[in-house]
Amino acid sequence: MGETNEITCFKPLLETMADLAGVVVTSDAMHAQREDADYLPGRDAHYIVIVKGNPKKLRKQLRSLPWAEIPLPGRVRGIGHGRSEIRRTKVVTVNSLLFPGAHRTS
């Protein structure tokens, strides 16, 4: 039997759902995978994914954006995993993002 983890279970889990049309699937950085990003639009679904260190080219592209000039509409402070956390949310439109199917819809 092959190794199972979150990555290998992603598509099989979603295959149990008959209709993903219009559904927004959110995932953590582990699913910043090209295969997952290609799969969801094929099921007429949308995705929101966190990007950390991988994929490297995408991370480099995102780091080059003018983040200091982008307004900060959301900021939350709390305690998580035994440590103080600050989560910031910014929204920006990027043309030609280096990730399959990634675009902002209105």
Side-chain angles (χ1 to χ4, degrees):
M1 181 179 224
E3 183 179 331
T4 60
N5 59 37
E6 284 183 48
I7 294 173
T8 60
C9 292
F10 185 79
K11 285 190 268 185
L13 175 65
L14 293 173
E15 288 292 332
T16 66
M17 299 177 72
D19 185 13
L20 290 179
V23 171
V24 177
V25 177
T26 61
S27 61
D28 63 14
M30 184 176 288
H31 293 288
Q33 307 284 327
R34 295 185 76 81
E35 285 183 23
D36 294 346
D38 282 331
Y39 170 78
L40 291 168
R43 297 278 313 271
D44 294 322
H46 307 281
Y47 63 81
I48 297 173
V49 65
I50 303 300
V51 176
K52 289 186 178 178
N54 287 319
K56 292 188 187 307
K57 288 181 182 179
L58 174 61
R59 176 69 173 154
K60 184 177 179 180
Q61 183 185 29
L62 293 174
R63 289 181 61 90
S64 72
L65 295 173
W67 291 108
E69 299 168 24
I70 300 167
L72 179 63
R75 181 173 190 252
V76 176
R77 180 181 289 259
I79 303 293
H81 305 289
R83 62 184 180 265
S84 177
E85 296 180 337
I86 298 174
R87 296 182 181 263
R88 297 170 183 90
T89 304
K90 291 187 175 189
V91 177
V92 62
T93 299
V94 180
N95 295 319
S96 304
L97 195 63
L98 299 172
F99 203 66
H103 63 278
R104 184 173 174 192
T105 60
S106 46

